[in-house]
Amino acid sequence: MKVVVAMMKHETNTFSPLVTDLARFEAWGLHFGPAAESAYAETAMPMGAYIRLCRARGAEIVTPVAAEAMPGGIVTRDAYETLAGAIVEAVAAGCDAVLLDLHGAMVAAHVADGEGELLRRLRAVAPRVPIAVTCDLHCNLTRAMVDHCDALIGYKTYPHVDMAEVGERIARVLFAAIDGKARPVMAFAPIPVLAQTLRMGTDDEPMKGLIAEARALEAEGFLAATVFGGFPMADVPHAGMAAVVVGDGDPAAAGAAVERLAALARARRDDFLYPHEPLEHALDRAAALGDAGGGEAGGPVILLDHADNCGSGGTQDVMGVIAAVIERGLKDVAVGAVYDPEAVKTMAAAGVGAEVSLALGGRLDMPALGLKGRPLALTGRVKVLTDGRFVVRGPMYTGVTVEMGPTAVLSVDGGRVEIVVTSHHHEPWDRGVFTSVGIEPEAKRFLLLKSRIHYRAGFAALARATVTLDGEGVTTSDNGKLDYRRLRRPLYPFDRIN
C-alpha cells in the first residue's frame, strides 16, 4: 500500500495585516519530501499519528510537504500554489490512500476556501482514491470539503491536546474502509452562528456540552462526530459553526445525528457571545488578586491580552494592555510575548546587562480596524539574549521544535516587569516561551499572555486565577469593530435565527 501523507495548515484572519507567504511558513515549519516525515513522525500531531499507523501497516509513505504557518493574513497565491501543488502532484503520481492534516480556515488571495479547493483538485486527479482529513476545531467547514473526501474529523479539545488522537481515529476509519470493514458516509450541517473564540474552550460551557454530545454519538457507533466552533475572524461566506458526522453505511442515521448536534448549537447560540468588560475594571480585579498572594505562594494570576493574539492572526505588537499594566503598578510580571525583531536587534547590539531606551512594539498598522501602530517608549535592562528555540514538552504540539527567532528579555519598571521580545510570531501556549529565556513562570505573581484559550495547555495548572483584558487588535471579540462584508446571511448574532 502506498499512502500520501501531507500537512497544509493555516488559520487565516482576513482582517490581519500580516502577509502569509512562503517565508512565514518557513518561519514556523516547512518541510518537503522525506524531511517532512522526519520532522513529524515522533510528534503528537495528526501527521505523526498518520505516519505511525502507516508504518504499522507496512505501507509505503510519501510525504510531499508538511507546512504550517502561524495564523496571519491572507495566504499569497504563490504560497498556496506551491503547497497545494506539491500535494496534488504526489497524489496524481499514484497512491492507494491520502491522509491529510489540514486546518479548515485557510483563505488565499485567489481562493476563499483553501481546503475545499485542495480537495477538489485531488478528486479531479484521483477520483477513486480514498481521502481522510483532520481539521482544527476552528475550521470553517464547507460543502466542498465534505464532498471531496471520504472521512473528515475535527479536534474535540481547545486548547488542542487531542490532535494525534483524532488523527488516528480518522485514519483508522479510512483503513477500515479499505479493508472492507466499514462504509463511511458523511452528513454535514452548517450552523448559522458566528461564535466568539473566547467562548469555545472545551472545558467550559457551551462547547463542553456540544463535545460531550459528539462523543456520545461516537459511543453509539458512529465512526466520527465533530462540532466545529469555526473561525470568526474570516470575512468569507462560510465562516461560522458547523457539524459533521461520519456514519457507517447509513446516510439517514448520519443525517439525524448531525442535526442533533446542529440543533443543540443553535439552542446555545447566546452562550457563544463574549461579554466585554472595561479594561480598568479588569485591572482592578487583577491587582486585588495579586495583592492576595501569588508566585510560589499560590501560583500566578494569568492576564490575557486576547485581542492581540498571534495564534488567531494578531500582530502581537499592540502595546496598550502592557502599558496599562505598567501604569497600574502591577509588579512581578512576565510578559509573553511581544513581536519586535528591530527591538531584539537593538538589545543584541547593546548586550546583556546594558541599559537601553527604545520604542517597543507598535510597528504594524491595522488598516482593517483603522488603527495605527503605537510603540511604547521604555527604558530597561537587557536581561537575556537567546536564539529563541525550544522543544515543546507540554500537551499541545508535543515534540515540535518552536522557532521564536532571536529573542531577548527586557526588564523594565525597576525589574517589576520582564518582557519576552521575539523575532517570529508565537502564541504562548507552552511554558518554553518563558523557561527557554530563564524565567520561571510558576514563581511570578502575574503572567501577561497574548493568548485566548491555548494558554491553558501550558499554564492552566499553574494559574491561581485568570483575568481577561479587553485591549485592541485584529483578534478582538467585539464584532462591532470588524467590517464584515461577505458573511452568509442570516447569521447570528447579526440576524435572528430559529
Side-chain angles (χ1 to χ4, degrees):
M1 177 180 288
K2 183 179 180 181
V3 183
V4 171
V5 177
M7 181 174 85
M8 188 178 85
K9 303 173 81 162
H10 188 253
E11 186 176 79
T12 305
N13 183 328
T14 62
F15 303 100
S16 174
L18 301 172
V19 176
T20 304
D21 53 12
L22 276 176
R24 191 160 175 83
F25 282 94
E26 290 168 353
W28 177 251
L30 176 58
H31 308 276
F32 293 97
E37 180 175 352
S38 298
Y40 284 93
E42 304 304 322
T43 66
M45 302 285 286
M47 188 164 178
Y50 294 161
I51 291 168
R52 291 188 287 274
L53 285 176
C54 287
R55 287 177 176 176
R57 288 179 67 94
E60 177 186 353
I61 304 171
V62 178
T63 52
V65 66
E68 181 169 10
M70 188 59 66
I74 291 173
V75 178
T76 64
R77 177 188 287 266
D78 176 64
Y80 181 87
E81 293 298 337
T82 298
L83 304 179
I87 299 172
V88 173
E89 182 180 349
V91 173
C95 62
D96 300 297
V98 180
L99 295 172
L100 297 176
D101 181 1
L102 306 179
H103 185 285
M106 177 181 282
V107 181
H110 60 310
V111 176
D113 177 11
E115 291 82 2
E117 174 62 16
L118 170 66
L119 290 165
R120 185 195 65 76
R121 295 181 187 184
L122 293 178
R123 273 287 183 247
V125 300
R128 287 177 293 277
V129 173
I131 301 172
V133 178
T134 299
C135 287
D136 194 282
L137 181 139
H138 301 115
C139 164
N140 286 325
L141 190 65
T142 66
R143 171 59 65 183
M145 293 184 212
V146 175
D147 286 349
H148 296 305
C149 72
D150 297 272
L152 184 147
I153 195 171
Y155 309 151
K156 289 183 174 64
T157 60
Y158 180 32
H160 309 321
V161 296
D162 65 336
M163 291 188 282
E165 175 188 332
V166 296
E168 178 176 340
R169 184 180 188 99
I170 210 66
R172 290 190 183 280
V173 168
L174 197 71
F175 287 140
I178 291 171
D179 295 339
K181 298 177 181 179
R183 292 185 299 130
V185 293
M186 284 197 290
F188 162 56
I191 302 167
V193 175
L194 192 72
Q196 297 293 352
T197 312
L198 274 169
R199 302 295 297 145
M200 294 184 200
T202 51
D203 290 330
D204 313 321
E205 295 294 352
M207 208 66 188
K208 182 178 181 180
L210 292 175
I211 296 300
E213 184 69 12
R215 293 192 186 279
L217 288 171
E218 291 176 345
E220 292 173 19
F222 289 96
L223 300 177
T226 305
V227 179
F228 292 104
F231 184 61
M233 275 72 71
D235 188 16
V236 292
H238 50 281
M241 299 184 69
V244 64
V245 170
V246 185
D248 191 356
D250 189 340
V258 82
E259 183 50 37
R260 279 171 55 184
L261 293 175
L264 183 57
R266 288 193 299 269
R268 301 294 302 273
R269 57 187 177 273
D270 288 341
D271 297 331
F272 281 104
L273 302 182
Y274 168 71
H276 296 275
E277 178 184 18
L279 179 58
E280 59 271 21
H281 294 178
L283 285 174
D284 287 343
R285 289 195 294 110
L289 288 164
D291 290 342
E296 294 178 342
V301 176
I302 304 289
L303 309 176
L304 298 178
D305 185 5
H306 65 92
D308 189 33
N309 167 30
C310 73
S312 295
T315 60
Q316 204 178 357
D317 75 339
V318 181
M319 302 303 294
V321 168
I322 296 172
V325 166
I326 294 173
E327 183 178 350
R328 186 63 176 73
L330 300 188
K331 60 184 179 181
D332 198 16
V333 183
V335 180
V338 172
Y339 167 77
D340 192 337
E342 292 304 314
V344 174
K345 290 178 183 177
T346 298
M347 287 186 277
V352 172
E355 184 176 282
V356 295
S357 294
L358 46 76
L360 183 63
R363 298 183 184 275
L364 298 171
D365 297 336
M366 293 165 279
L369 299 182
L371 294 176
K372 291 285 188 180
R374 295 194 296 272
L376 179 62
L378 291 171
T379 296
R381 182 173 61 85
V382 181
K383 187 174 181 180
V384 175
L385 295 168
T386 77
D387 62 5
R389 179 179 298 171
F390 66 90
V391 176
V392 176
R393 302 302 181 193
M396 181 176 149
Y397 280 82
T398 310
V400 173
T401 299
V402 168
E403 303 276 0
M404 297 190 297
T407 296
V409 176
L410 179 66
S411 177
V412 301
D413 198 25
R416 288 185 287 271
V417 178
E418 295 179 337
I419 305 173
V420 180
V421 187
T422 69
S423 298
H424 295 163
H425 290 99
H426 179 66
E427 182 178 356
W429 35 251
D430 186 80
R431 298 181 196 181
V433 168
F434 292 119
T435 59
S436 66
V437 295
I439 295 174
E440 299 178 10
E442 64 276 10
K444 289 295 182 179
R445 188 176 297 268
F446 297 99
L447 297 177
L448 174 53
L449 307 177
K450 286 182 176 287
S451 181
R452 290 179 182 273
I453 300 293
H454 277 326
Y455 78 92
R456 294 179 181 179
F459 299 99
L462 298 181
R464 186 163 49 85
T466 299
V467 179
T468 304
L469 305 179
D470 295 348
E472 295 181 326
V474 294
T475 65
T476 177
S477 293
D478 186 348
N479 288 332
K481 295 182 178 180
L482 300 173
D483 184 18
Y484 289 106
R485 299 184 180 187
R486 301 176 182 85
L487 297 177
R488 55 181 155 146
R489 306 298 286 266
L491 184 68
Y492 188 81
F494 306 104
D495 308 294
R496 296 183 64 180
I497 63 171
N498 296 322

